[in-house]
Amino acid sequence: MKAQEEVTNILLVGVGGQGIILASEILCAAAMQSGYDVKKSEVHGMSQRGGAVNSHVRFGKKVFSPLIPAGRTHILVAMEKLEALRWAHHLAPGGVIVVNDFRLDPVSVSSGKASYAGDAVERLRAADDRRVIVADGAAGALEAGDLRTMNTLILGVLSNCLPFARKHWQAAIGAHVKKNMLEVNKRAFETGRSLGGCVTPLEQA
Amino acid sequence: MATRQEERLIQERKLLLSGNEAAAAAAWEAGVVYATGYPGTPSTEILETLTTYPGVRCEWAPNEKVALEVAAGASLAGVRTLVAMKHVGLNVAADPLMTLAYTGVCGGLVVITADDPSMHSSQNEQDNRNYARFAKLPLFEPADSSEVRSFLKEAYLLSERYELPVLFRMTTRLCHSKSVCQAGSRGETKTPGYQKDFVRNVMVPANARVMRVKLEQKLGRLAGEVESTGLNRLERRGGTGIITSGNVYNYVREALPKASILKLGISWPLPRKAIREFAASVERCYVVEELDPFLETEVRALGINLSETPHPPSHIGELSPEAVSALFDEASSPEAAPAAVESPGTGEIAPRPPVLCPGCAHRGVFMTLKKMKLTVNGDIGCYTLGALPPLESMDTCLCMGASIGMAYGLERALAGDNKTRVVAVIGDSTFLHSGITPLLNIVYNGGRTTTIILDNSTTAMTGHNEHPGSGRTLGGEPAPALDYQALARAVGIRFVATVDPYDVDLFRLTVERALEFDGPAVVVARRPCVLLPQVRGTVKPKVRLDPEKCTGCGACFRIGCPALGQDEETGKCRVNQAFCTGCGLCTTTCPCEALEL
């Protein structure tokens, strides 16, 4: 694992309504509890539903900019595959992409003005200077008991790439999800975590 | 069981707060007892958060001008007040602000202006630092949440020391970024009291001339104080010197780690002596700032010979670490100096702009206005999305409340005394903000314009904020809800109708009648926002698709509902059951009757 002097950059992307902001809150809480300085940045407002959403999360010994410099993202976490493609250019060489194999048509597609890149995952994999972890978030979340826990499930997948102890993740989830959704979210997280994917990827990055 | 780290965080009282949350925490800690504003991205969460603290009266005003005037009144009673608004809101509040600088304040008064470089959620990116120079007021610019907390408390002390309102400038990237803060506790609050003072508080010309001189004297004293304030910070490193302020400091630290930095926490009035000394102490001195060359102009006016970056700043859009790097990168091409962080335009990736939500009642309105081929003067709110494809049924959007005045002016210029196919479309909160006076103008000047008020019972786009028509206050208490029909009649409108926009046929008929009516008309399209908790809680049957009947003609896609997609294999419509709210609008568009509730 990298020394704490360096800042780790994680970009979470997806579609408004998918729980990107909640996922980034949990991620930040886990990072804080693991003893890091943390900053995160996102833009609210025009994208309540159906618009593209992104959240920049950075942690390390000391973080200045809340924005990840372009091309310096270590891990791109995409809750939707077209959004992974949209933000793939932000990835640093040797970076990791955690992508939810889930498709949501933007209105530009459904209204016939553009076409959906059905081969998004293949295109992500085409570049060989990165590692792509694909997870079926919908299946896993349904297995856990609620489709809405897709975001927590993907965090579970991501957790294999990060140096935070499981107890910090659990505490972070406990602090940010509603009581009546806690158990199903914990299950979704563990399901995602059990999917494995990467060990110490930050050294490769 | 709390983990050891959790316990440590609790002991250290460390919190991860957004700039807006930090502003609320700091206001509470500073002993603020009264806070007002009007919701506007990126400022909204300041009051939303502050209202959760005990002992602070928090209110939404109908607009920013009223908010500032309320705060000015409360300040007369000697208590500390906060006013929060987005950058364009300060234009609305500029009238009281410019003269409040003359009268000054009793209890500390801070105006937070939340600017929006890159226009993430705004119609312009005006740089409100200019208001400090214009109104002759001190300007604070914090760089992160932790500074928001310490600076805001200093701002109240300074406001009371100089009896001046203080401008506190934040930006989207500060308001909506989270960083680690230390929690504090409630400070002392002042006991209210009032002292009459004719010269100071009654701005008739004779008194204003007296206060004008006093203002200049205050600024003179302040110019001395800012030379030594701890809020301006000198960081001595290499021979390259950067003068900067606000969140841009973080980008400079990241992009130019070896540079010496003069970071201005109070960026108006400028610490002239400190700037001169800094410029003289470095080999090359630059200013790095977002939007207008505000600091640069002033520093050059001091006669300081600033160095030029290899690539000149564009003064457009938000900065970023890479944008700051690019300014100084000799090797890069001028095109490589990006103005803003934007998603890439690779062309092959289908764009995903924001859209009206599934079940949004505005969708049927714009579908109908498009069919009616009307010219639509629109306004500011969620419904501005009705201007985008595939609905594309809004012709103008200028500023809060402009729809009604513009529709009247356009109609008058086009047709004189006659009616045209021009309508104004304005949301409920926007109408109450600044739509009533232009409506009065139509009646007074004998116009015939039709105004459609989209009443979804909330200020939706900023995150469901209460307003005088919603029946609730910011704190959630019941409040009288404005009767739009009664108001329109009182103004002098004789054609007033309320209709449910889900009933598209009746809505169309009502608008046709309004257009035929011999005089100005108001149509209220009333349907609470589909995302309001009380609406979300009601379970409605969802739209079903009969795949046998669907021919894949795509007629339903023209209403731009995110719940409808095209099946990759069959080319037929697919209804996303997780998104569908069962509004049924799509069923009215399907020529094959394949969609049904």
Side-chain angles (χ1 to χ4, degrees):
Chain A
M1 191 47 56
K2 277 192 174 186
Q4 284 207 352
E5 285 73 43
E6 301 207 21
V7 173
T8 301
N9 302 319
I10 304 177
L11 182 64
L12 294 101
V13 302
V15 180
Q18 281 195 301
I20 313 291
I21 307 295
L22 177 64
S24 75
E25 289 286 331
I26 294 170
L27 172 59
C28 287
M32 254 178 100
Q33 288 176 14
S34 304
Y36 294 97
D37 184 29
V38 181
K39 279 192 180 170
K40 80 156 182 157
S41 184
E42 61 234 355
V43 169
H44 313 184
M46 285 290 270
S47 48
Q48 280 231 349
R49 284 291 143 105
V53 174
N54 67 75
S55 178
H56 295 232
V57 173
R58 311 189 74 198
F59 66 90
K61 191 175 179 192
K62 172 71 189 165
V63 182
F64 286 104
S65 167
L67 281 176
I68 301 170
R72 298 253 301 273
T73 296
H74 299 113
I75 308 176
L76 173 65
V77 182
M79 301 288 175
E80 201 271 354
K81 51 189 180 180
L82 185 65
E83 295 311 306
L85 208 52
R86 193 185 311 286
W87 291 98
H89 73 291
H90 227 277
L91 200 67
V96 177
I97 301 178
V98 176
V99 55
N100 183 10
D101 192 2
F102 188 72
R103 169 175 173 166
L104 277 175
D105 285 3
V107 167
S108 63
V109 170
S110 62
S111 61
K113 297 244 159 98
S115 61
Y116 191 100
D119 59 346
V121 170
E122 290 70 37
R123 282 165 67 177
L124 291 172
R125 281 184 168 137
D128 52 11
D129 64 338
R130 61 173 68 145
R131 181 136 173 223
V132 182
I133 302 166
V134 184
D136 187 345
L142 282 174
E143 186 190 311
D146 196 316
L147 187 61
R148 289 173 293 175
T149 61
M150 252 191 320
N151 53 352
T152 329
L153 181 127
I154 296 298
L155 276 185
V157 179
L158 171 70
S159 72
N160 294 310
C161 310
L162 294 173
F164 311 150
R166 177 187 251 115
K167 63 181 179 184
H168 294 325
W169 283 106
Q170 286 170 342
I173 293 168
H176 284 95
V177 306
K178 286 186 191 138
K179 285 274 177 294
N180 61 342
M181 291 289 287
L182 184 56
E183 283 313 311
V184 66
N185 271 290
K186 277 185 174 170
R187 277 201 301 277
F189 179 83
E190 291 303 329
T191 306
R193 198 170 166 92
S194 71
L195 294 177
C198 71
V199 188
T200 65
L202 295 182
E203 276 176 353
Q204 297 159 17
Chain B
M1 265 289 284
T3 64
R4 203 170 51 82
Q5 282 290 355
E6 268 185 296
E7 277 166 14
R8 187 178 60 81
L9 291 175
I10 292 165
Q11 270 169 15
E12 292 176 2
R13 307 192 73 190
K14 275 193 177 172
L15 302 166
L16 190 68
L17 297 183
S18 70
N20 284 346
E21 290 165 342
W28 180 74
E29 288 160 21
V32 166
V33 297
Y34 208 142
T36 68
Y38 180 80
T41 311
S43 71
T44 314
E45 298 85 1
I46 299 170
L47 288 191
E48 282 181 333
T49 309
L50 188 52
T51 193
T52 65
Y53 285 83
V56 190
R57 182 167 180 85
C58 291
E59 296 176 353
W60 290 131
N63 66 35
E64 296 85 356
K65 171 172 147 61
V66 175
L68 181 54
E69 289 156 353
V70 168
S75 166
L76 263 187
V79 298
R80 288 188 171 176
T81 59
L82 177 79
V83 192
M85 59 190 68
K86 69 182 294 173
H87 59 332
V88 285
L90 197 54
N91 300 334
V92 181
D95 199 0
L97 182 78
M98 299 301 291
T99 309
L100 195 62
Y102 285 30
T103 65
V105 298
C106 298
L109 189 155
V110 175
V111 179
I112 297 183
T113 164
D115 293 12
D116 190 15
S118 282
M119 298 166 273
H120 295 285
S121 201
S122 304
Q123 64 271 36
N124 77 26
E125 61 171 9
Q126 65 185 55
D127 186 335
N128 276 9
R129 292 181 299 171
N130 292 298
Y131 267 112
R133 184 168 48 194
F134 189 25
K136 304 178 188 299
L137 290 174
L139 175 69
F140 283 53
E141 284 194 89
D144 60 17
S145 301
S146 178
E147 283 195 357
V148 167
R149 287 191 58 252
S150 55
F151 282 26
L152 193 62
K153 285 186 259 186
E154 287 295 327
Y156 279 99
L157 295 173
L158 187 134
S159 173
E160 284 169 0
R161 215 158 46 239
Y162 289 85
E163 299 184 348
L164 278 176
V166 170
L167 278 179
F168 197 85
R169 181 185 186 244
M170 297 170 67
T171 58
T172 300
R173 207 48 79 176
L174 175 59
C175 293
H176 289 166
S177 290
K178 293 201 169 188
S179 53
V180 181
C181 291
Q182 206 85 20
S185 50
R186 177 74 155 164
E188 260 182 65
T189 59
K190 316 235 165 183
T191 313
Y194 170 66
Q195 207 73 48
K196 183 167 170 158
D197 189 334
F198 168 67
V199 174
R200 183 197 148 113
N201 293 328
V202 184
M203 284 303 94
V204 292
N207 291 348
R209 286 181 203 117
V210 174
M211 296 311 292
R212 172 74 187 87
V213 175
K214 284 207 170 167
L215 173 58
E216 216 58 40
Q217 290 165 346
K218 288 179 186 178
L219 289 173
R221 291 207 326 270
L222 188 57
E225 173 164 340
V226 293
E227 295 293 350
S228 58
T229 174
L231 302 189
N232 295 334
R233 193 168 74 227
L234 177 63
E235 295 178 5
R236 187 67 69 195
R237 288 186 203 89
T240 295
I242 309 287
I243 301 171
T244 190
S245 64
N247 184 38
V248 178
Y249 162 80
N250 294 307
Y251 305 146
V252 172
R253 272 307 298 268
E254 187 127 355
L256 307 165
K258 291 178 191 154
S260 294
I261 299 174
L262 178 61
K263 177 186 176 300
L264 301 178
I266 299 181
S267 45
W268 191 262
L270 289 177
R272 297 175 174 197
K273 191 160 152 275
I275 289 173
R276 282 207 175 90
E277 284 171 5
F278 178 73
S281 74
V282 292
E283 292 158 29
R284 299 160 303 278
C285 187
Y286 304 88
V287 168
V288 179
E289 58 190 327
E290 213 163 53
L291 299 182
D292 293 352
F294 176 79
L295 297 174
E296 185 188 329
T297 306
E298 291 296 327
V299 171
R300 286 193 193 282
L302 293 175
I304 291 168
N305 192 15
L306 286 174
S307 298
E308 306 271 353
T309 52
H311 300 295
S314 72
H315 304 302
I316 299 169
E318 189 174 33
L319 288 178
S320 61
E322 67 271 19
V324 172
S325 298
L327 290 174
F328 289 86
D329 185 359
E330 307 262 3
S332 74
S333 66
E335 295 78 34
V341 189
E342 285 298 334
S343 46
T346 52
E348 283 177 62
I349 301 172
R352 197 188 297 271
V355 287
L356 292 173
C357 303
C360 178
H362 302 329
R363 180 172 285 107
V365 167
F366 288 110
M367 185 186 89
T368 308
L369 298 180
K370 188 178 192 177
K371 277 187 192 161
M372 294 173 75
K373 297 191 167 58
L374 298 178
T375 298
V376 176
N377 290 107
D379 225 298
I380 308 271
C382 293
Y383 50 96
T384 315
L385 295 170
L388 303 181
L391 291 163
E392 295 170 302
S393 44
M394 186 181 288
D395 292 77
T396 65
C397 167
L398 184 66
C399 68
M400 292 288 286
S403 57
I404 302 176
M406 284 183 77
Y408 167 67
L410 179 61
E411 182 166 78
R412 191 52 106 180
L414 284 175
D417 288 343
N418 299 318
K419 285 201 107 149
T420 62
R421 303 285 285 177
V422 175
V423 295
V425 170
I426 184 168
D428 48 353
S429 189
T430 311
F431 175 72
L432 298 173
H433 178 283
S434 47
I436 300 172
T437 43
L439 195 63
L440 182 62
N441 177 63
I442 295 172
V443 175
Y444 173 59
N445 286 306
R448 286 151 180 258
T449 313
T450 296
T451 299
I452 301 169
I453 299 173
L454 305 179
D455 175 14
N456 61 2
S457 310
T458 186
T459 315
M461 185 154 84
T462 51
H464 290 139
N465 303 109
E466 302 77 9
H467 62 63
S470 70
R472 294 271 163 192
T473 65
L474 168 56
E477 298 294 319
L482 179 91
D483 180 340
Y484 297 93
Q485 294 216 34
L487 179 109
R489 288 207 185 87
V491 165
I493 307 273
R494 285 179 297 120
F495 184 106
V496 187
T498 298
V499 58
D500 179 356
Y502 270 10
D503 189 342
V504 283
D505 292 337
L506 185 62
F507 173 72
R508 179 169 183 162
L509 191 70
T510 311
V511 175
E512 281 296 357
R513 290 271 161 80
L515 289 167
E516 287 158 11
F517 181 73
D518 184 23
V522 166
V523 176
V524 182
R526 174 171 298 156
R527 162 72 62 167
C529 172
V530 70
L531 291 185
L532 280 171
Q534 62 267 34
V535 181
R536 286 175 98 165
T538 57
V539 182
K540 290 184 69 180
K542 303 192 173 188
V543 167
R544 291 182 314 277
L545 177 86
D546 184 342
E548 298 296 313
K549 289 184 184 167
C550 179
T551 61
C553 72
C556 56
F557 298 145
R558 279 175 225 137
I559 60 171
C561 179
L564 301 179
Q566 195 162 22
D567 193 281
E568 281 165 85
E569 283 160 25
T570 64
K572 293 182 179 185
C573 175
R574 205 163 29 120
V575 183
N576 183 329
Q577 294 293 315
F579 279 11
C580 179
T581 67
C583 79
L585 184 67
C586 58
T587 63
T588 70
T589 67
C590 180
C592 322
E593 295 180 339
L595 292 162
E596 51 190 33
L597 263 178

